[in-house]
Structures are given as structure tokens and as C-alpha cells.
Amino acid sequence: MNRILILLFSLSSSALFAQSSKEFWVLAYPEPPFIEQTEKGQVTGLLVDEVNGILATAGIRQQILLAPWKRLEQEAKVKANVLAFALTRTIEREDSYHWITPLTANVYSVYSPHKQLKPLNSLEQLSEFDSIAVLENDVRHKILQAQNAKNIHVYSNWSDAIDSVVNKQSSAIFFSDAGMQYFCREQGKGCNQFERVFMYGKTVTYLTLSKVGTNSELVNRLKRAANHYKRSDAFKLISKNWLKQYQNLPIPMHMEDGVLNLWNK
């Protein structure tokens, strides 16, 4: 009985915190099929259900809002109590956010319809391309900026970025294996001629919480909730159901240790 009372008190305290905080936001950037919006305006997908499960475990009720990438990153960097997903963890970003829990792991590469006479082995060699399409303020955009690349073409969404290569406005795109397969096949972008010309490496995205003005109690509560939820039967069931829905998509994936790996097991 005492354990039940303690649990109820904990959840009640969390709910009171969330309801009294008018500046608590949960933002996500659309990443179909894991984060997307239906025609009726409902935000859905595996990562959406996962984050909602973590919030419920923490006793926090808050709606997930979709936002453009630039706004999401800016809000999460300068405002208190902004939960955002899914942000790639990098050395440059390490001190900018609280990293609550890993969500997905992926492989980032550069793709182009232009075959290379010899394989590219470094970022510096990407200067051979006239232009490389990226999502504005995305981690791959930042990687190229750190190299002082002069051939960056910036777009507000991945669909337009891929179209730019298909229409020969850009000569390559810095994206992910899973993203390329999804947009090229599922959305019929007609880019079967694309080939991987450079592999950057594996990256991991996270559910993050802003640092500026955010109470450490909230950070710890969300980390505990994420750890607890990812070990629960509810998370296992939700993951199983979503992976079953995704099995006909042209994206290799499997769940391991609570992280969605976007390659074949």
C-alpha cells in the first residue's frame, strides 16, 4: 500500500508541475514515417507514441507540436523547458541540450547520380561536387559548414532537397540511407539512379530538453521516466505494432536496447 501511495504522489506531483508550467513545450520535426501528421492534423508515428509514453510515465500531459527544423532547434537552445525530438547528438551540440534518451540510429551518406571515378574518403573531397543539397540547420548542414564548404544548397524540407538533385539543381545530397529509401521509393521521387558516393558514419538521435532555465528536477524526472518506460511491456508492444506497420516500407529497421536502428539486423 505504501509503495502505491508513493507512486501516486510522485505522478500527482509531476502532473501538478506540468500543469502549472505554462512554458513547457514538446516540439518535433516531421520525419516520416516515424513522426508525421495525418490529414486530420493528428501527429502520429512510432517516435510520437514513444515520447507520449515517456511523458505519461513522468506524469506530464502536454501536446506534441510539429515545427520547422530551424524553429525547433532555436527554441530548444534559448528557452526553458522545451522538449524536442529527434536531434542528432554531436560534439558541437553536446553542451547545448540535456540528452534524455536515444531514439534512433542511422547511417549518414552523400548520394549523387554522378558516378565517381574513384571512391571519396573524406569530407574535403566533397568539394568535387558543384552543389550538395541539405536541410537548413540540420546536423549534416552543420557538418559541411564546419568544413567551410562553399557548395552547400540549403532547403527547408527533404522532399525539396531530393527534387533539386532529380531536377539537376544540385549535384548531390547529404542524407541518410533510410531517408533516401523512404523518399525515393515510398514518395515516388524517381531517384533510382542515385548512388552512395561517400559514407560519413553512424549517428544517433535523441529526445532532448533545453538547458537554459530548465530545472534539474525536470531533467531527472524525464530521464527516469524514459528509462522506466523503455523497459516496460507497453513500450515493447507499441514498438512491435509499429514495426509490423512499417514492414512493407522500403526502410530496413530493427529495435535494439530501446533504440530504432535503421539498417538490417
Side-chain angles (χ1 to χ4, degrees):
M1 177 65 72
N2 288 337
R3 292 177 64 185
I4 294 175
L5 288 174
I6 291 172
L7 175 62
L8 288 174
F9 176 78
S10 175
L11 292 176
S12 210
S13 299
S14 301
L16 285 173
F17 170 85
Q19 290 168 6
S20 64
S21 176
K22 297 180 181 179
E23 298 300 326
F24 183 82
W25 299 91
V26 184
L27 302 179
Y29 175 76
E31 291 279 3
F34 311 115
I35 307 169
E36 56 186 342
Q37 191 170 40
T38 66
E39 293 181 356
K40 295 183 178 179
Q42 180 183 5
V43 183
T44 184
L46 188 156
L47 297 187
V48 173
D49 280 355
E50 181 176 347
V51 172
N52 276 328
I54 292 171
L55 288 170
T57 303
I60 298 173
R61 293 182 181 179
Q62 186 60 279
Q63 181 183 4
I64 294 174
L65 302 175
L66 297 185
W69 182 257
K70 189 173 182 179
R71 180 195 163 198
L72 179 148
E73 189 176 37
Q74 183 67 15
E75 296 278 307
K77 195 174 279 188
V78 302
K79 291 186 178 180
N81 304 322
V82 177
L83 196 66
F85 65 104
L87 274 72
T88 301
R89 191 166 189 169
T90 64
I91 294 174
E92 294 76 19
R93 285 175 171 169
E94 186 64 34
D95 296 329
S96 298
Y97 310 96
H98 293 290
W99 303 91
I100 302 302
T101 189
L103 298 176
T104 68
N106 207 343
V107 176
Y108 289 171
S109 301
V110 174
Y111 305 84
S112 175
H114 306 292
K115 294 183 179 180
Q116 301 300 300
L117 296 177
K118 55 183 179 180
L120 303 180
N121 301 310
S122 67
L123 287 169
E124 290 80 4
Q125 290 179 309
L126 297 180
S127 61
E128 295 182 14
F129 293 103
D130 293 333
S131 54
I132 301 176
V134 293
L135 179 71
E136 185 176 14
N137 289 320
D138 176 74
V139 64
R140 285 147 290 203
H141 184 194
K142 301 294 180 63
I143 289 170
L144 293 179
Q145 285 182 320
Q147 292 293 319
N148 294 316
K150 308 300 182 184
N151 56 349
I152 306 172
H153 271 198
V154 177
Y155 294 88
S156 60
N157 60 73
W158 283 119
S159 185
D160 288 346
I162 290 179
D163 281 343
S164 76
V165 187
V166 173
N167 298 328
K168 300 181 179 180
Q169 296 168 325
S170 302
S171 53
I173 184 170
F174 198 179
F175 202 10
S176 67
D177 286 12
M180 287 296 295
Q181 291 185 60
Y182 178 78
F183 279 96
C184 290
R185 299 182 193 178
E186 184 68 12
Q187 295 197 358
K189 288 297 178 183
C191 46
N192 292 331
Q193 74 275 25
F194 285 31
E195 293 185 7
R196 183 194 289 117
V197 295
F198 172 73
M199 180 181 287
Y200 177 75
K202 188 178 85 170
T203 56
V204 181
T205 69
Y206 274 71
L207 174 65
T208 64
L209 185 64
S210 57
K211 273 194 169 183
V212 178
T214 297
N215 191 297
S216 60
E217 180 188 351
L218 179 60
V219 178
N220 294 331
R221 178 180 295 140
L222 285 167
K223 285 185 175 181
R224 287 194 301 268
N227 183 53
H228 178 78
Y229 179 69
K230 286 176 131 182
R231 290 183 292 136
S232 70
D233 290 337
F235 176 64
K236 293 175 184 177
L237 181 60
I238 283 175
S239 299
K240 181 179 178 180
N241 289 340
W242 275 111
L243 289 177
K244 187 175 181 180
Q245 292 184 52
Y246 293 151
Q247 65 184 359
N248 293 324
L249 294 176
I251 304 175
M253 67 183 81
H254 67 280
M255 189 70 71
E256 186 174 1
D257 297 328
V259 178
L260 183 66
N261 293 327
L262 299 174
W263 58 80
N264 288 320
K265 189 171 183 179

